[in-house]
Amino acid sequence: MRAFATAHPNIALIKYWGKRDTAKNLPAVDSLSLTLGDLWTNMNVHFSSSYDRDRLEINNVINDQNISRVSKCLDSIVGKSRSFANIVSECNFPISAGLASSSSSFSALVVAVNGAIGRKYDTQLLASQAGSASGSAARSMLGGIVELKNTQTDIQIRQLSSIERWPLRVVIAITSKEKKSISSSKAMRLSANSSPFYSAWINNQEADMSEGRLAIENRDFERLATVSEHNCLKMHSVMWTTRPSVIYWNEASLNCMHAIREMQRSGESVFFTMDAGPQIKAICLPENEAKITQRLSEIKGVVSVMQSKLGGAPISRIPK
Ligand code: DP6
C-alpha cells in the first residue's frame, strides 16, 4: 500500500474565509482560485502493518505538529482500523507562511492515499476529502482557474478556464518566511464570532463571485483585477476588525501594494492579492511578468520573488 502524488497550491482571487460547518470543515462562502504550476508538493504515502504510529516528514524534517491533522485525514478516507502510515513530503516553497501550502499538501495527501488503497480517481470525491482537511485544498484538484461552490451538504469544484485559454502569471513577493502568527482555522473562528463586518462579508460574496466569473468568461483583466483586489481587502478588513485583531501584513506587504498600484497607473496589467500571511501575490499577463518581478524585487523588505505559470491537476503514481 504505497503511492506517490504531486499537487500544486492555489491562490484564491475571490476568497474563502469562515466556515458554515466546522465539524465537516465546509466553507461559509464560494471561492475562485488560480492553480500555481511552478510551486509543488510531492507526497509519498506508505501504509504498513509494521509501523506502530503515523509518521510525517516534511522537507527531511520530522513534523509532529501536523501529525494529528494528517492522521485524522487518513482515518476519514481509509477508516480507523487502518495500518499506520509513513508520509514523506517535499515542497519547493515556504510552508505555513500564507503561501497556501496546506492546499498542495492536503490535495497531494488525499490523492496519494486514495492511490495507495486502490480507489478509482474521482475528482469530486477527492476535492471533498481534501476540503474536509483544509478548505482551500479542494480547489487544487483542478488546474487553471477553478471555482468552488457550496452544495446543500458538500462542495463542488469546476474549472472556469484552462491554462491555455487564459495563461495568467503570478509573481510572489516573499516578505517573510516565518510561520504565520495564527492559523487560518483559528482566525476564521474568531472572525465569525467577533468581526462586525463578518455578516456583510458573507452576504456580499455572491456578487463578487458572479463578477469574477464574468471577468473570466470574457478574459477581462481589468474587471478581474478590480473585483479580486476588492474581495481581498474586504477579507482583510474582516480580519483586522476581529477581536483580537488578525493582521497578517507587514511593512513590505504594504510597500508592494503601493508599487502595484503605481504600476497599474502606468498602464501595466497587474493586480495584487494576499492571504493568511504577509506575502504579496501579483497576478499579471505574461508580457508584464519580467517588469513586475524586477519592480517587486527592488522593494525594501522583500526577501525573494518567485514566478509561477498556472498549473494543472494533481498527478498520481502507484509503484508496481
Ligand atoms: C485566506 O484552507 O487554510 O487562504 O480550511 O481551516 O484549513 P482551513 O483553511 P485554509 O484557508 C485559506 C484561507 C485563505 C483564502 C483562500 O484560500 O480562499
Side-chain angles (χ1 to χ4, degrees):
M1 299 221 326
R2 184 194 291 276
F4 172 83
T6 300
H8 301 291
N10 68 79
I11 299 294
L13 300 184
I14 310 297
K15 313 279 189 187
Y16 145 53
W17 194 254
K19 302 176 199 266
R20 75 182 146 120
D21 183 329
T22 21
K24 292 190 184 150
N25 203 43
L26 292 173
V29 286
D30 298 349
S31 55
L32 190 159
S33 62
L34 308 178
T35 302
L36 303 184
D38 293 76
L39 276 61
W40 47 257
T41 297
N42 286 335
M43 192 69 67
N44 233 309
V45 177
H46 181 215
F47 289 100
S48 167
S49 53
S50 66
Y51 297 140
D52 59 359
R53 63 183 175 94
D54 291 329
R55 182 182 165 276
L56 171 67
E57 188 183 307
I58 305 177
N59 292 341
N60 298 315
V61 178
I62 297 288
N63 184 303
D64 290 326
Q65 273 155 272
N66 294 306
I67 193 67
S68 60
R69 197 167 171 199
V70 165
S71 296
K72 196 173 151 213
C73 176
L74 303 187
D75 287 349
S76 72
I77 299 171
V78 190
K80 285 205 165 126
S81 52
R82 66 181 170 85
S83 298
F84 289 114
N86 186 39
I87 299 144
V88 179
S89 158
E90 197 194 345
C91 178
N92 74 337
F93 60 98
I95 57 169
S96 303
L99 273 175
S101 57
S102 70
S103 66
S104 53
S105 307
F106 281 104
S107 53
L109 180 69
V110 159
V111 170
V113 169
N114 278 276
I117 62 170
R119 193 177 275 149
K120 194 172 139 265
Y121 197 105
D122 172 342
T123 301
Q124 294 299 336
L125 174 70
L126 291 167
S128 177
Q129 292 174 347
S132 6
S134 184
S136 56
R139 299 184 307 240
S140 280
M141 287 303 166
L142 289 171
I145 309 182
V146 179
E147 171 193 69
L148 182 149
K149 272 179 90 69
N150 275 300
T151 61
Q152 197 98 36
T153 54
D154 203 351
I155 50 131
Q156 202 165 35
I157 54 164
R158 176 169 75 108
Q159 186 183 62
L160 294 182
S161 177
S162 67
I163 307 170
E164 300 74 31
R165 183 183 166 274
W166 206 11
L168 297 172
R169 295 290 167 89
V170 181
V171 179
I172 304 166
I174 298 176
T175 65
S176 165
K177 290 189 178 166
E178 275 177 29
K179 208 170 163 280
K180 61 180 96 160
S181 49
I182 174 169
S183 75
S184 353
S185 280
K186 195 167 170 206
M188 283 184 204
R189 204 162 47 240
L190 290 173
S191 290
N193 291 337
S194 63
S195 170
F197 297 169
Y198 185 75
S199 58
W201 158 254
I202 304 290
N203 294 336
N204 283 301
Q205 185 78 343
E206 190 37 47
D208 290 358
M209 282 297 293
S210 40
E211 184 66 12
R213 257 184 244 116
L214 272 176
I216 289 155
E217 211 172 287
N218 299 310
R219 278 177 287 193
D220 184 338
F221 191 87
E222 296 304 312
R223 197 169 185 174
L224 187 62
T226 306
V227 70
S228 301
E229 287 190 356
H230 171 69
N231 188 268
C232 165
L233 294 174
K234 204 158 54 178
M235 177 184 76
H236 285 276
S237 305
V238 172
M239 294 172 173
W240 282 42
T241 51
T242 293
R243 289 182 177 199
S245 59
V246 178
I247 302 177
Y248 288 115
W249 306 17
N250 61 24
E251 191 187 343
S253 333
L254 197 57
N255 291 340
C256 289
M257 281 185 193
H258 284 304
I260 290 168
R261 283 278 154 97
E262 231 173 72
M263 288 190 271
Q264 289 171 339
R265 282 194 288 274
S266 64
E268 301 287 327
S269 290
V270 59
F271 65 88
F272 64 77
T273 193
M274 253 185 100
D275 295 287
Q279 332 304 353
I280 286 278
K281 293 104 183 188
I283 293 84
C284 62
L285 296 175
E287 55 270 31
N288 303 85
E289 191 184 25
K291 199 162 170 188
I292 288 152
T293 306
Q294 175 62 33
R295 180 71 191 97
L296 291 180
S297 59
E298 288 162 357
I299 290 171
K300 187 170 159 256
V302 171
V303 181
S304 61
V305 178
M306 296 179 84
Q307 294 179 324
S308 184
K309 296 184 276 303
L310 297 191
I315 295 166
S316 155
R317 193 153 41 81
I318 299 151
K320 294 212 177 76

